[in-house]
Amino acid sequence: ETGVTQTPRHLVMGMTNKKSLKCEQHLGHNAMYWYKQSAKKPLELMFVYSLEERVENNSVPSRFSPECPNSSHLFLHLHTLQPEDSALYLCASSQVKGLHEQYFGPGTRLTVT
Amino acid sequence: DAKTTQPTSMDCAEGRAANLPCNHSTISGNEYVYWYRQIHSQGPQYIIHGLKNNETNEMASLIITEDRKSSTLILPHATLRDTAVYYCIVMTGFQKLVFGTGTRLLVSP
């Protein structure tokens, strides 16, 4: 247990669906991150939040919409996804933004049909 | 970021020490060496990091050469649960965490 939980663990959705991924950290950290891990590709940083403010968006398509209502919760809202968006989506947190001791959740395995 | 070079895969017998090398010949003076691992179907796990001195924690030891051009992560008594992909990452304090392809360590009985 890393202190970072993600739900759901698995998700199958059609291209016209809207769904949300949830992440919660119980570590008292101030920074949270969304990463994408596609098959046989390195981890890709998507979004960074620091003190509930989005501080980084790495050219992620608008069909991915993050939300950070407080420092413990992070959401990734999904709509009109493409099959190539199928991947493992990982949430992480760190004490402060940029600190590289990041604690990762178990991920949500997303399949877009 | 400085580039790192790691072997694609390594094998280790259970109970023996696993020594995972990493070359980072272009590392600059303010860059740290970080190690993470990712067990199959789980999120990455922070292991250890260092700048110049050798470091040890409850998970592993990190040996950095004097010229800082290479390092070795040591798991002193490998177990089957240590089977994972191990990533060596070199960066300054506030760069993005960028994972390469890592070393796939297989610990066998």
Side-chain angles (χ1 to χ4, degrees), chain A residues 26-52:
Chain A
H26 311 274
L27 301 168
H29 288 170
N30 290 318
M32 297 187 77
Y33 311 78
W34 277 118
Y35 288 86
K36 174 184 178 183
Q37 189 171 36
S38 303
K40 298 184 180 179
K41 289 176 70 175
L43 225 60
E44 301 170 54
L45 178 64
M46 300 174 72
F47 300 104
V48 180
Y49 274 83
S50 177
L51 296 171
E52 302 146 45

Side-chain angles (χ1 to χ4, degrees), chain A residues 37 42 56 58 98 100-102, chain B residues 36 38 91 93 95-96 99:
Chain A
Q37 189 171 36
E56 192 157 339
N58 285 308
H100 295 106
E101 291 175 48
Q102 294 184 17
Chain B
Y36 275 77
Q38 188 170 18
M91 63 179 58
Q95 292 172 325
K96 296 176 195 176
F99 290 79

